[in-house]
């Protein structure tokens, strides 16, 4: 197909690798803490991989948008401590209820309507706070593995200057070469074997629903759905959120008896596939979503072999690779965080709270950062009018040079390629980032 490009395929593979290299450790830690059998643990990895793969491929193909899905990282973090306190069958029941609730809230548009009332700067600030630690991890890796991380950063920067589309691919190639030369690739692969799904009959208890289901639902909606949709909107895509989020919720529900705790739109890994690093033409980046989904499906089928491949990569290599792959997404999110003076202070509060990494009641900082920003936004509006925007007497951030065509604003060829219909407040942001 003409839509296929090496850079888009590579972006999908990198996104899939990043999805497993870090979050999978949380899943395995939760399984170990709960004392799950090897069959149950293998089925868990199979379920989240197959669920993410099917939704990635199906939604990206259907919408011609790089829809990247994943298993809930904050949800897995909650389960590290919560799963050991309940019977596994009760936990599966909580997975099932949380999946149904997520499907209803997203497919009916309730969640989207709530999210639409939050200023874009606050949502972008939450995303920037999530990505911040990945940027700083580059320099942490420089301290622990200076040769490996330094070579990857230099390779990325040189490639960014000469072949920007393949900069992340070059960083990965350099990292693998240096790690292999240094003997740092701890790969211990056994013979290939197909994963076997293990069905667990769900049991329902009030304790598991409150201790696992509610935190899992809140963490997934606030920590994954909201920033996941923000990533797509930030790069000019306007997919039907009810279809995307409703589909991931439904698939998560169907696979819950096999161990899937939550399938949702990805945020961090999605940013790898939605930006210009994946492809200069936004209309052709959807192939990155298909590539990522195919990778998920392969790992799901041959989990025991290929999971060892990803977990055997040096930590510094994975951290540096994720950091350089997300530099563009981080800079864009920071720019949108402070672009609108009317919401700047609330957005900065959101960024700081999210970047702090604070966890309260088992719920991660993305939720608390979003909550802090919304509260600050409401309090700043009480008793007085918000500051006017930098441009326009009526508060509209109207840039010079945006062209309107029947209500649709197309101020850049790339935006028009994906059918970007921008609200007035979004036009200045898009133009500023491109400049």
């Amino acid at each position: 197909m003409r839509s296929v490009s090496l850079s888009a395929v590579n972006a999908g593979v990198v996104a899939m690798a990043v999805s497993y290299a870090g979050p999978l450790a949380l899943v395995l830690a939760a399984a170990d803490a709960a004392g799950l059998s090897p069959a149950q643990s293998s089925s868990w990895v199979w379920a989240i991989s197959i669920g993410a793969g099917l939704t990635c491929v199906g939604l990206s193909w259907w919408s011609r948008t790089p829809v990247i899905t994943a298993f809930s990282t904050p949800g897995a973090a909650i389960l590290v401590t919560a799963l050991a306190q309940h019977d596994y069958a009760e936990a599966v029941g909580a997975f099932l209820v949380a999946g149904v609730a997520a499907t209803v809230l997203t497919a009916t548009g309730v969640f989207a309507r709530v999210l639409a009332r939050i200023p874009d700067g606050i949502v972008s600030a939450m995303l920037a706070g999530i990505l911040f630690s990945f940027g700083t991890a580059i320099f942490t890796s420089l301290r622990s593995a200076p040769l490996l991380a330094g070579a990857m950063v230099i390779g990325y920067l040189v490639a960014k200057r000469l072949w920007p589309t393949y900069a992340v691919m070059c960083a990965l190639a350099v990292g693998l070469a240096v790690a292999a030369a240094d003997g740092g690739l701890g790969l211990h692969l056994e013979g290939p074997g197909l994963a076997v799904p293990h069905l667990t009959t769900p049991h329902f208890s009030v304790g598991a629903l409150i201790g696992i289901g509610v935190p899992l639902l809140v963490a997934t909606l606030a920590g994954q759905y909201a920033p996941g949709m923000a990533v797509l909107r930030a790069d000019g895509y306007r997919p039907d959120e009810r279809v995307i989020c409703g589909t991931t919720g439904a698939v998560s529900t169907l696979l819950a008896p096999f161990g899937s705790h939550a399938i949702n739109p990805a945020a961090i890994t999605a940013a790898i596939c939605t930006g210009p690093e994946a492809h200069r033409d936004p209309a052709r980046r959807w192939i990155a979503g298909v590539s990522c989904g195919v990778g998920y499906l392969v790992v799901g089928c041959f989990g025991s072999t290929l999971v060892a491949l990803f977990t055997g990569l040096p930590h510094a290599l994975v951290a540096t690779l994720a950091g350089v792959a997300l530099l563009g997404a981080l800079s864009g999110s920071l720019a949108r965080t402070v672009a609108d003076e009317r919401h700047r202070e609330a957005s900065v509060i959101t960024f700081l709270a999210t970047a702090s990494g604070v966890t309260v009641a088992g719920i991660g900082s993305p939720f608390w950062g979003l909550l802090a920003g919304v509260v600050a936004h409401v309090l700043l509006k009480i008793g007085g009018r918000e500051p006017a925007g930098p441009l326009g007497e009526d508060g509209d951030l109207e840039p010079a040079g945006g062209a309107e065509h029947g209500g649709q604003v197309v101020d850049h060829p790339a935006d028009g390629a994906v059918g970007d219909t921008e609200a007035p407040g979004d036009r200045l942001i898009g133009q500023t980032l491109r400049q």
Side-chain angles (χ1 to χ4, degrees):
M1 294 184 300
R2 292 182 59 190
S3 298
V4 178
S5 72
L6 185 59
S7 60
V9 171
N10 175 73
V13 172
V14 170
M16 184 266 299
V18 172
S19 294
Y20 280 110
L24 184 62
L26 294 175
V27 172
L28 298 178
D32 182 67
L36 300 188
S37 67
Q40 290 172 323
S41 300
S42 176
S43 179
W44 190 351
V45 174
W46 174 87
I48 57 180
S49 300
I50 296 301
L54 291 176
T55 50
C56 260
V57 173
L59 291 171
S60 296
W61 186 284
W62 167 77
S63 65
R64 289 300 192 266
T65 298
V67 179
I68 307 301
T69 60
F71 49 94
S72 174
T73 300
I78 291 173
L79 294 175
V80 171
T81 55
L83 195 59
Q85 302 172 12
H86 303 276
D87 182 74
Y88 182 61
E90 294 179 347
V92 170
F95 296 168
L96 196 62
V97 172
V100 171
T103 303
V104 172
L105 290 175
T106 55
T108 58
V110 173
F111 181 68
R113 287 194 293 272
V114 173
L115 187 62
R117 301 182 66 86
I118 302 175
D120 288 341
I122 292 178
V123 178
S124 295
M126 179 181 65
L127 177 60
I130 295 172
L131 300 179
F132 181 74
S133 62
F134 287 85
T136 58
I138 297 175
F139 301 96
T140 304
S141 300
L142 283 171
R143 181 180 62 185
S144 60
L147 179 61
L148 175 61
M152 292 182 67
V153 171
I154 293 175
Y156 171 81
L157 293 175
V158 170
K160 189 73 173 179
R161 175 67 181 86
L162 301 176
W163 313 286
T165 302
Y166 306 103
V168 176
M169 185 189 306
C170 290
L172 175 60
V174 170
L176 290 174
V178 173
D182 194 42
L185 289 179
L187 306 180
H188 305 286
L189 302 181
E190 300 177 357
L194 292 174
V196 179
H198 179 83
L199 177 65
T200 299
T201 302
H203 293 170
F204 301 96
S205 71
V206 175
L209 292 177
I210 295 176
I212 295 178
V214 173
L216 179 62
L217 176 64
V218 173
T220 301
L221 287 178
Q224 298 279 178
Y225 280 85
M229 292 297 99
V231 168
L232 288 171
R233 290 197 300 270
D235 283 296
Y237 298 99
R238 298 295 186 270
D240 190 331
E241 296 180 358
R242 292 179 299 176
V243 173
I244 292 177
C245 298
T247 300
T248 56
V251 171
S252 182
T253 302
L254 292 174
L255 292 173
F258 298 99
S260 172
H261 61 287
I263 303 297
N264 47 252
I268 296 168
T269 50
I272 298 174
C273 300
T274 58
E277 291 80 8
H279 200 286
R280 286 175 291 183
D281 182 3
R284 298 177 65 183
R285 295 174 195 163
W286 66 272
I287 199 66
V290 175
S291 171
C292 182
V294 171
Y296 279 137
L297 294 173
V298 172
V299 171
C301 293
F302 300 96
S304 59
T305 300
L306 295 183
V307 166
L309 171 64
F310 291 114
T311 56
L313 295 175
H315 175 74
L317 187 153
V318 176
T320 305
L321 178 65
V324 297
L326 293 169
L327 280 177
L330 175 59
S331 60
S333 299
L334 289 173
R336 290 186 298 274
T337 296
V338 298
D340 190 343
E341 287 186 0
R342 296 173 299 175
H343 313 303
R344 183 173 296 169
E345 197 162 22
S347 299
V348 171
I349 289 174
T350 302
F351 168 74
L352 293 175
T354 305
S356 70
V358 63
T359 299
V360 179
I363 301 175
S365 61
F367 170 76
W368 299 115
L370 183 63
L371 180 62
V374 171
V375 170
H377 171 64
V378 172
L379 292 178
L380 289 172
K381 290 179 64 177
I382 294 177
R385 184 177 177 181
E386 288 182 306
L391 297 177
E393 296 179 356
D394 60 355
D396 261 0
L397 300 182
E398 178 75 35
E404 297 192 11
H405 300 282
Q408 185 180 33
V409 179
V410 182
D411 56 5
H412 190 270
D415 289 346
V418 293
D420 182 11
T421 304
E422 294 182 319
D426 292 330
R427 302 175 207 160
L428 178 63
I429 298 174
Q431 180 170 321
T432 301
L433 290 177
R434 287 187 287 272
Q435 289 174 345

